[in-house]
Amino acid sequence: MQTQAKIIRDPAVTAFKNKLSSPLTKKGITVLQINLGKRCNLACTHCHVEAGPKRTEELSPEICEQLTSLIHKFSEIKIVDLTGGAPEMNYGFKPLVEAAKTTGKQVIVRSNLAIYFEDGFGDLPEYFAKHQVRIVASLPCYLADNVDKMRGTGVFDSSVKALQWLNQLGYGKDQNLILDLVFNPQLPTEEKFSLAPEQSNLERDYKMFLQEHFNIVFNNLFTFTNLPVGRTKMHLERRKLYASYLQFLESHFNLSTVEHLMCRDELSIDYLGNVYDCDFNQMMNLPAKTRNGETLTVGKLLEAGNLDLINEVQTAAYCYGCTAGCGSSCGGALL
């Protein structure tokens, strides 16, 4: 909990809650984002989860069963968003996909694409198409060198092959097979910070380049801000850029983004069954709190028979990343 206190009282910037005209409150919960664990075939330099091939933490059968019950019990959940690590590598992935589809919910899988070429995972593209899973795939640039620097040698080539495979199955073409890509800026190495480019213009550039060079099509491009969490935070601290990056994000704070923040209508669940307002709070051990100040678990939600037990969202200095410029969320820019 020392890390949590340090973040909340970070002297580099104004406390985030003091920027708001009113407390950041929850709306009705419609999105359940589940982090299935830390197992991943990649170890990306910008990963806020700090996932990788050597990590072993993952969902347990008990928590998977509770989550399945939660998905079946609450019809107000419209989207089940599965992430990791590589979510596909962690226990419970397919059971949760099928529970969500059985109950008529949209399923999103946040895929690194390269997983399809690992032993035992070659069935995934066809499996996703069969269940009409929406794929949100990380491709932090359309240039090979930039992708391989961030994600590992050869990842760009495998990503291209994966996208072509998905296109052959109808992804990006069939209205029921949605394929979205994610852009992340390069991590800064000096005090020359920038936000992501304007999303619609960058999407046009991605589509033109990938179509022309690889005959790849996709639906939407989402631009993400690099939040100073996980490996991004460590990268900034090693270069003594952490405080100045926070100040850069604060200087671009946009109050208009607050109404649309993803933390307001979602619950983020970790592999242990604990509840958070968002994935970033999850990684920084800042749990969601009920109106009575209690922390929540999936078991407590089931016992209460109610998803709307949280009044105010827990905030920290890194929230400036989601509210800078056009904003940033798991669905890309907010404005």
Side-chain angles (χ1 to χ4, degrees), residues 96-110:
L96 291 175
V97 168
E98 289 158 29
K101 295 303 294 186
T102 298
T103 53
K105 305 180 194 315
Q106 182 185 59
V107 178
I108 295 173
V109 57
R110 298 190 180 270

Side-chain angles (χ1 to χ4, degrees), residues 126-278:
E126 284 80 7
Y127 178 83
F128 291 158
K130 175 184 175 182
H131 293 282
Q132 298 183 348
V133 172
R134 182 172 187 165
I135 299 172
V136 178
S138 182
L139 192 70
C141 185
Y142 53 72
L143 300 176
D145 286 349
N146 288 343
V147 172
D148 287 355
K149 283 177 185 175
M150 294 176 76
R151 316 200 70 200
T153 303
V155 172
F156 181 81
D157 287 342
S158 61
S159 297
V160 165
K161 291 175 184 176
L163 291 170
Q164 291 170 333
W165 186 354
L166 292 170
N167 280 173
Q168 290 169 6
L169 294 171
Y171 270 97
K173 303 173 183 179
D174 185 320
Q175 64 178 359
N176 295 313
L177 299 177
I178 305 299
L179 173 61
D180 301 321
L181 301 183
V182 171
F183 165 86
N184 288 89
Q186 295 284 304
L187 294 180
T189 57
E190 56 183 337
E191 287 195 17
K192 291 184 179 179
F193 307 128
S194 61
L195 299 174
E198 200 280 326
Q199 184 167 280
S200 61
N201 290 338
L202 188 61
E203 179 181 292
R204 182 194 63 225
D205 293 344
Y206 260 71
K207 286 185 172 180
M208 289 176 60
F209 186 90
L210 292 176
Q211 174 80 62
E212 179 180 348
H213 290 83
F214 305 108
N215 198 30
I216 287 170
V217 297
F218 65 94
N219 295 96
N220 308 289
L221 179 73
F222 298 149
T223 56
F224 287 6
T225 298
N226 286 322
L227 266 70
V229 171
R231 289 198 187 114
T232 297
K233 182 173 187 282
M234 291 187 284
H235 169 94
L236 293 167
E237 287 177 333
R238 282 196 300 269
R239 289 160 179 79
K240 299 182 179 177
L241 296 172
Y242 175 67
S244 54
Y245 185 64
L246 279 179
Q247 290 163 358
F248 166 78
L249 294 175
E250 182 188 4
S251 71
H252 289 80
F253 173 73
N254 184 349
L255 187 61
S256 300
T257 62
V258 174
E259 175 65 21
H260 310 287
L261 288 171
M262 63 183 182
C263 56
R264 303 194 67 181
D265 63 359
E266 81 169 26
L267 296 178
S268 173
I269 314 293
D270 70 9
Y271 60 91
L272 297 172
N274 299 309
V275 178
Y276 304 81
D277 292 308
C278 72

